[in-house]
Amino acid sequence: MIRIGSGAGFSGDRLEPALILAEKGNLDYLVLECLAERTIALAQKRKKENSSLGYDPLLEKRMELLLPALLQNGVRLITNMGAANPVGGAQKVVEIARRLGLSVKVAAVTGDDVLAFLDTDAPATETGKPLNSHGRVLSANAYLGVEAILPALEKEADIILTGRVADPSLFLAPMIHHFGWSADDTDLLARGTIIGHLLECGGQIAGGYYADPGKKEVPNLANLGFPYAEIKADGSAIITKIPDTGGVINLMTAKEQLLYEVINPHEYITPDVIADFTSARLREVGPDQVEVTGGKGKERPKTLKVSVGYHAGFIGEGEISYAGSNALGRAQLAGEIMRKRLEESFDELRIDYIGVSSTHRNTFGEWNKPYEVRLRVAAKADSLGEAAKIGEEVESLYTNGPAGGGGARKYTHEVVGIVSSLIPREEIGVSVVVKESGLVEEKTV
Amino acid sequence: MKRKLYELAHSRAGDKGNILMLSLIPYQEKDYSLLCKEVTAEKVKQHLKDIVDGEIIRYEVSNIAALQFVCHQALLGGVTTSLGMDTHGKSLSFALLEMEIEVKEAVIGGK
């Protein structure tokens, strides 16, 4: 049996749940999944400005916190915090270890970055149009599978940093390494992938993104405990969490997470296997304990998915609030004024009434009129200066708009769009660089 | 009588590009067949007509007594370039749960 914990479900996730897992989980492995689709394009930009950067911005904080407990308890860490620069990230981990007086072996997995040789005239999967027609291409990263991580595990690295790797592969790799599962045993690969899928979003299987007071109660969400799995050689597992942490793991949280972000439950495609989620069984076997068994798989696809980040211009936003009698009426008048003043200059203009229809884009059923409404205006622009005009116009409603407009705010941000394509596996060259804090030794295998 | 799905089931929203996925999970597994019968892809498409521009595919995931609705062209272009407030569509699970279905007797969900 091995125990694998999930200490982060996205780049900005809470820091301390991973430490609690490393200290009290009696884990063999801890996984931190920190790389959303856009994150790597932003990381690529940081690397361009400074070639030693481009790894996850929170890498330093997380590693300073975790390294002592990981090394003391013999927990190996697997994370995609390498982002656009796993080797630079590994160097940083070695520096932190030296500062803390710790001896550590760090492996950096590279090969996902295909920007240099990707055919950007090829069509995007989503639109059918050439990849480079969407905007200036900023990054192109293939989703690697377990075969990228296994060599690093074989090198006995304490810390493994990757760039773009399919999220479940971060969990499946240590299972294959530990149990010696064959690459042909697609059912075992599918079971490991299902376990990885259940764990990969950190707190989401433990009651995060789940609670609804009165309907779905979750105790102590302020101290949500993150999950770990006790996995057997047959690919079955019990998913649980550390006692006395917040949250809940039950059949309902597990069902929600099993289907989370799944496009086709019969064929969940990863670089390692095509897993059939409809063949898995979930069972509550104790408090905060859900057993996962079964699962069938088919042979992995011949191509890998490539996620391509491109510059998609800028977004400008402005908001202002109205409250009390006729709040909605005054907000709507403000919205009409904004439309009149902006619609000729901006192709894509969005006007939302927060408190009424901004998140669901309309209102279902009959509801009482809201006491307060916040007008939100958003538009896309080619330059930051143009985007800023949106907020400036909303702000001008203070003195030029309806009565009682307050709390105006303005924002701008650069937009990175994502499209994808496919690349044959044989075009990818994976390599592992090992760095050690004790010795001056660097090897490439 | 008419009942909101909210009373019978829970849901979680996910996104991939411009695709929105909505699970629909009855609190009581015995209500799964009722949801299969009443919550068709067509009815969901009608309910979410102002949100989902493309096709909705429904999967029956009977091993966990749940339905999965995969909604195409649903996220104003997708999380990265959407001008919407909720670019991921994470709040839209509760848009599905606002849908009403016909039930024969009063069935109250929740624990």
Side-chain angles (χ1 to χ4, degrees):
Chain A
M1 192 186 74
I2 53 168
R3 292 155 74 99
I4 305 179
S6 174
F10 78 105
S11 172
D13 212 339
R14 289 180 186 168
L15 300 181
E16 78 281 359
L19 182 63
I20 294 170
L21 280 170
E23 283 178 340
K24 300 182 178 167
N26 192 20
L27 300 181
D28 299 290
Y29 297 90
L30 178 65
V31 173
L32 306 177
E33 196 290 288
C34 295
L35 203 52
E37 281 204 304
R38 254 189 311 190
T39 322
I40 209 156
L42 300 171
Q44 198 68 256
K45 287 181 72 176
R46 286 197 300 278
K47 189 183 173 186
K48 251 186 198 157
E49 285 156 21
N50 179 343
S51 63
S52 67
L53 297 180
Y55 48 82
D56 185 282
L58 283 177
L59 175 121
E60 215 169 331
K61 255 189 195 163
R62 290 192 196 277
M63 294 312 299
E64 273 173 2
L65 186 69
L66 294 174
L67 260 185
L70 291 173
L71 294 171
Q72 191 183 338
N73 297 329
V75 183
R76 300 173 77 183
L77 183 82
I78 305 173
T79 175
N80 52 17
M81 276 195 292
N85 190 0
V87 176
Q91 187 57 43
K92 181 50 83 179
V93 175
V94 164
E95 281 170 34
I96 294 166
R98 282 188 185 136
R99 204 188 316 144
L100 298 173
L102 299 167
S103 179
V104 70
K105 192 174 189 179
V106 189
V109 176
T110 61
D112 60 306
D113 186 345
V114 298
L115 184 59
F117 56 91
L118 182 76
D119 174 16
T120 55
D121 291 323
T125 312
E126 293 84 358
T127 61
K129 291 188 279 191
L131 290 167
N132 55 24
S133 70
H134 296 82
R136 182 163 43 86
V137 173
L138 303 171
S139 65
N141 294 76
Y143 280 82
L144 305 181
V146 292
E147 74 276 8
I149 304 170
L150 287 169
L153 287 165
E154 281 151 22
K155 297 273 159 213
E156 296 182 335
D158 305 301
I159 311 290
I160 298 173
L161 290 178
T162 74
R164 175 60 69 208
V165 168
D167 296 348
S169 308
L170 296 166
F171 297 87
L172 179 59
M175 296 181 219
I176 295 173
H177 177 72
H178 183 85
F179 295 122
W181 289 348
S182 156
D184 302 329
D185 198 329
T186 50
D187 287 350
L188 283 176
L189 299 182
R191 288 171 200 166
T193 297
I194 291 167
I195 296 163
H197 173 77
L198 287 170
L199 292 173
E200 72 182 54
C201 295
Q204 277 196 187
I205 195 170
Y209 193 35
Y210 169 83
D212 185 10
K215 293 283 274 184
K216 297 189 285 178
E217 297 288 353
V218 180
N220 197 8
L221 268 176
N223 294 297
L224 182 62
F226 280 26
Y228 66 89
E230 296 170 340
I231 305 153
K232 290 191 197 149
D234 65 356
S236 65
I238 289 175
I239 296 182
T240 185
K241 65 186 186 69
I242 309 288
D244 301 324
T245 56
V248 62
I249 295 178
N250 60 28
L251 201 52
M252 288 160 65
T253 66
K255 284 180 178 183
E256 283 198 14
Q257 192 55 25
L258 184 70
L259 293 177
Y260 180 66
E261 291 186 339
V262 172
I263 292 183
N264 181 346
H266 301 285
E267 294 190 340
Y268 184 81
I269 303 170
T270 80
D272 310 312
V273 69
I274 299 175
D276 179 2
F277 283 16
T278 68
S279 59
R281 288 184 303 278
L282 301 175
R283 199 164 63 100
E284 269 177 37
V285 291
D288 294 320
Q289 289 190 333
V290 168
E291 180 194 60
V292 196
T293 53
K296 295 211 167 292
K298 289 189 293 197
E299 195 189 345
R300 66 185 198 179
K302 293 198 163 41
T303 50
L304 296 176
K305 182 178 167 182
V306 179
S307 177
V308 177
Y310 64 94
H311 174 73
F314 300 85
I315 287 180
E317 292 171 86
E319 294 175 6
I320 189 166
S321 285
Y322 298 87
S325 292
N326 202 22
L328 181 57
R330 284 177 284 127
Q332 282 170 334
L333 173 58
E336 284 159 26
I337 296 168
M338 287 297 96
R339 186 174 297 285
K340 212 171 222 175
R341 289 184 62 84
L342 293 167
E343 68 184 350
E344 275 179 25
S345 313
F346 295 90
D347 295 339
E348 260 188 272
L349 181 68
R350 188 161 181 88
I351 294 183
D352 283 317
Y353 300 96
I354 298 174
V356 182
S357 57
S358 65
T359 43
H360 288 177
R361 296 179 234 155
N362 54 27
T363 308
F364 294 94
E366 294 299 313
W367 298 88
N368 292 330
K369 276 191 181 154
Y371 184 77
E372 62 175 54
V373 179
R374 189 159 175 81
L375 168 73
R376 171 182 180 267
V377 183
K380 277 187 203 159
D382 290 334
S383 71
L384 204 56
E386 274 297 300
K389 284 185 184 164
I390 302 298
E392 289 158 10
E393 277 291 339
V394 171
E395 194 176 37
S396 78
L397 289 167
Y398 269 144
T399 53
N400 302 282
R409 298 279 190 282
K410 48 188 179 183
Y411 316 93
T412 53
H413 70 270
E414 187 179 348
V415 187
V416 173
I418 295 287
V419 283
S420 58
S421 80
L422 298 170
I423 194 168
R425 280 173 185 275
E426 50 276 15
E427 289 185 23
I428 306 280
V430 173
S431 81
V432 177
V433 178
V434 176
K435 290 175 184 280
E436 297 190 48
S437 68
L439 321 160
V440 185
E441 187 188 346
E442 286 186 22
K443 291 180 287 196
T444 304
V445 292
Chain B
M1 66 180 74
K2 284 214 184 288
R3 288 280 174 189
K4 270 189 189 179
L5 287 180
Y6 179 72
E7 295 177 43
L8 304 171
H10 55 111
S11 171
R12 174 170 291 187
D15 71 289
K16 279 268 185 280
N18 203 12
I19 301 173
L20 165 74
M21 307 84 165
L22 299 169
S23 58
L24 186 67
I25 306 163
Y27 285 101
Q28 311 289 337
E29 293 198 350
K30 68 176 175 50
D31 291 334
Y32 175 60
S33 56
L34 171 73
L35 296 186
C36 285
K37 184 168 158 277
E38 292 294 330
V39 193
T40 61
E42 294 71 29
K43 284 188 192 165
V44 172
K45 172 81 188 173
Q46 177 60 28
H47 176 67
L48 299 178
K49 61 183 185 309
D50 295 325
I51 296 173
V52 181
D53 292 333
E55 185 188 12
I56 296 182
I57 300 168
R58 186 183 88 165
Y59 292 96
E60 292 175 20
V61 192
S62 55
N63 54 318
I64 57 165
L67 294 171
Q68 176 87 328
F69 296 89
V70 178
C71 313
H72 293 260
Q73 293 163 269
L75 294 174
L76 301 172
V79 58
T80 56
T81 55
S82 162
L83 276 181
M85 272 289 286
D86 175 12
T87 51
H88 296 88
K90 285 186 181 283
S91 72
L92 293 172
S93 48
F94 284 84
L96 175 62
L97 295 178
E98 285 302 313
M99 185 174 152
E100 289 184 326
I101 59 166
E102 196 65 46
V103 294
K104 285 218 171 72
E105 70 267 47
V107 194
I108 307 297
K111 285 198 164 176

